[in-house]
Amino acid sequence: WSSDVCSSDLVPRCKEARNDLLIHMDVYQAIAKKQDLGFLACLEDPEIKIFAFGGLLRDMYLERSWEDVDIRIVYNKPRDVREQVMEKALHNYNLEGKTVIEDLNLTVYRFLPEGSASREPIDLSLVSSLDDNVPDFTINSLFFDLKNKELVDRFGGTQDLDSKTIRTAKDPHVQLDRKSTRLNSSHQ
């Protein structure tokens, strides 16, 4: 985990520079200013991929303040193996909750690391692939690989942010039918 930080003050405020903003700034360091991310050091298996994602990246891209931290751990192993590895890494943390969503192949842990400057807990989701539990809207589907410092934008989220467009990441008839509350979140 490198500490090379490129201040957003140094990035010119033009559209071309905004497209690269997340790549040039150190998202890990920005999160680490608010949350203790020491547990990530326990996840040394090279097959484990660690991403920041969702509203956090949307707000960073738009240069807005943010509080919520969503982390997605991708580990292509059976659910019980993924959970054992994660719970070993989190054994010193006060887990507020663990939710298993079978049909989405998803386990979510919620916890606030001691020593964090934030009062907002981390939502950490554990999946076998980035295709498990695709986010609702393209603007929330940005992923930032915290190890390799690479932006993953599989659904055109940055383009939609630039054009102020809200689109679902999947077929809207399927995605909005599954969860009608997504219509409300699109207005927010």
Side-chain angles (χ1 to χ4, degrees):
W1 304 98
S2 171
S3 62
D4 302 316
V5 178
C6 175
S7 168
S8 62
D9 296 339
L10 301 176
V11 179
R13 300 199 38 74
C14 63
K15 192 172 186 176
E16 295 80 29
R18 276 189 37 175
N19 286 335
D20 293 332
L21 179 64
L22 293 174
I23 295 169
H24 292 296
M25 70 183 291
D26 191 333
V27 174
Y28 178 88
Q29 287 297 321
I31 296 170
K33 288 179 182 176
K34 294 184 179 188
Q35 297 282 7
D36 176 4
L37 298 177
F39 68 93
L40 294 177
C42 299
L43 304 173
E44 296 174 352
D45 186 325
E47 291 183 47
I48 294 175
K49 299 194 180 337
I50 304 169
F51 298 92
F53 79 102
L56 164 72
L57 291 182
R58 177 200 63 227
D59 291 344
M60 283 182 166
Y61 183 84
L62 294 173
E63 300 181 68
R64 293 182 185 166
S65 65
W66 52 272
E67 290 298 324
D68 296 340
V69 175
D70 294 309
I71 295 178
R72 170 120 343 142
I73 306 292
V74 177
Y75 193 34
N76 192 12
K77 300 288 182 191
R79 177 191 306 278
D80 62 328
V81 173
R82 292 192 312 260
E83 290 178 357
Q84 287 171 4
V85 169
M86 184 55 30
E87 288 167 17
K88 183 178 178 187
L90 297 175
H91 78 279
N92 287 328
Y93 293 86
N94 182 21
L95 293 179
E96 293 179 18
K98 172 184 173 182
T99 305
V100 176
I101 305 169
E102 293 291 338
D103 63 327
L104 297 177
N105 195 24
L106 175 72
T107 306
V108 179
Y109 297 90
R110 190 171 178 85
F111 63 100
L112 181 61
E114 252 183 65
S116 294
S118 174
R119 293 183 186 180
E120 294 293 325
I122 292 175
D123 285 330
L124 186 144
S125 55
L126 186 58
V127 295
S128 62
S129 140
L130 273 183
D131 293 325
D132 293 341
N133 194 30
V134 174
D136 49 8
F137 300 104
T138 59
I139 61 174
N140 294 330
S141 66
L142 301 174
F143 288 84
F144 191 86
D145 184 326
L146 292 173
K147 288 182 180 178
N148 298 315
K149 295 185 180 181
E150 295 175 347
L151 180 65
V152 178
D153 183 4
R154 301 176 340 161
F155 299 100
T158 56
Q159 181 180 355
D160 287 348
L161 284 168
D162 289 336
S163 66
K164 298 181 180 180
T165 301
I166 295 179
R167 290 185 305 123
T168 58
K170 290 183 171 181
D171 176 353
H173 296 95
V174 173
Q175 198 152 15
L176 296 175
D177 252 2
R178 269 187 66 200
K179 196 171 182 184
S180 61
T181 57
R182 291 182 187 197
L183 286 173
N184 291 334
S185 67
S186 70
H187 287 290
Q188 294 171 355

